[in-house]
Amino acid sequence: MLALRKLSTLKSSRFLSSFAIQNPICNSSTIPDVPSCTNYDERINKAGREGDFTTVHHLLNKRARDGFFNTNNTFKFISTNNVSILDDLLEIIARLDSGFPRKSSYDCLIARLSKMHCISEAMRVAKAMVSKGHEVNNVTFHPIVNALTKKEEFEEAWQVVAVMKSCGISPDLTTYNFLLTGYCFAGNVASAAGVLAKIEEEELGADTRTYDALVLGACRAGKLDAALAVVRRMLDDGVPPLYCTHAHIIGAFLKYNYYEQAVEFVRSYAGRDVKLDAENFGILATRLITRSKLEEAKKLVKEMSERRLVMGPRLKDFYELYVRSDGLR
């Protein structure tokens, strides 16, 4: 009886091994033992680097069925040296399950190409989606517009907007925010005002990114009163400022050597959000130390300790060396 069981087990083991070899799609190298986004990304990138697009297709479908989103690392196997594989990728993505698996894969591929600043290739993917009727929308074009405005390639960004409109897609607030932020960063006030006019004309409203861009523009133009007025307007409208919005103002105060005003600004918003307080106090204290304003930094770091705000390693060392040791003397 024991011999029969051993024989049965051996035959079963050989059968499974044979099946796995003849069906590479079920091999342990392509199916994650413990599914996770990271695990799927690793498997997809391995298959992509090996040119195994059948496995890439299988894993893209399977990760969606298992409830795992694509990430910024999903198509990391694509580089400027192998953009020629785009034809193969477009073919397999077009055959993915309709809906989320296919749509998210297209969008993720466009994001990867945009990050590499392969704009023509990213637009080619977007146009392929349009020609096949594959769920193209504003989200599809966001990475492209963002990449162009970061490089201050505004003419090209507006050309993308024109393509969106030709496809029946009305640019949303996020699209215009990319343009607005780009112009404000570049200090192009006239063009920024033009974008604002379009936002108002199309009744898109304003969100945290819209206000943040305006604060950034005012700070870079040296108009600190205007920047503070925008922040007050945000609060009046019930729109919470981003951490970076406060950082813009702190940086502008320091740029013009308005140290007391910077400290006053940070203190005026203290007590509402502990994490924001730690961020604001931490940024200001660190920059004061960099500028050798040690006495001002000591007071600020001492206040951070009293407020029990989290300090980074550098500020902790500064506190122990200059603040705590002074108190023990």
Side-chain angles (χ1 to χ4, degrees), residues 44 53-61 70 74-75 77-78 85-113 121-122 124-126 128-130 132-135 140:
I44 289 170
F53 296 108
T54 300
T55 298
V56 171
H57 176 271
H58 167 71
L59 289 171
L60 288 172
N61 263 337
N70 291 320
T74 299
F75 290 107
F77 62 89
I78 304 171
I85 66 175
L86 195 56
D87 287 336
D88 296 310
L89 284 174
L90 286 175
E91 182 182 344
I92 65 165
I93 292 176
R95 293 188 286 105
L96 288 173
D97 293 345
S98 61
F100 176 75
R102 187 169 60 200
K103 162 68 172 165
S104 64
S105 295
Y106 271 128
D107 289 347
C108 190
L109 177 57
I110 288 173
R112 172 62 180 170
L113 292 168
E121 288 80 5
R124 181 184 162 197
V125 176
M129 292 177 71
V130 173
K132 295 179 181 296
H134 287 172
E135 308 99 8
T140 303

Side-chain angles (χ1 to χ4, degrees), residues 1 26-28 53 67 119 133 153 162 171 184 193 195 240 270 273 275 282 285 288 291 293 313:
M1 181 64 74
C26 296
N27 192 286
S28 59
F53 296 108
I119 302 302
E153 297 174 2
C184 287
V195 176
D273 181 333
K275 290 184 178 180
L288 287 172
R291 290 167 174 261
K293 295 292 180 180

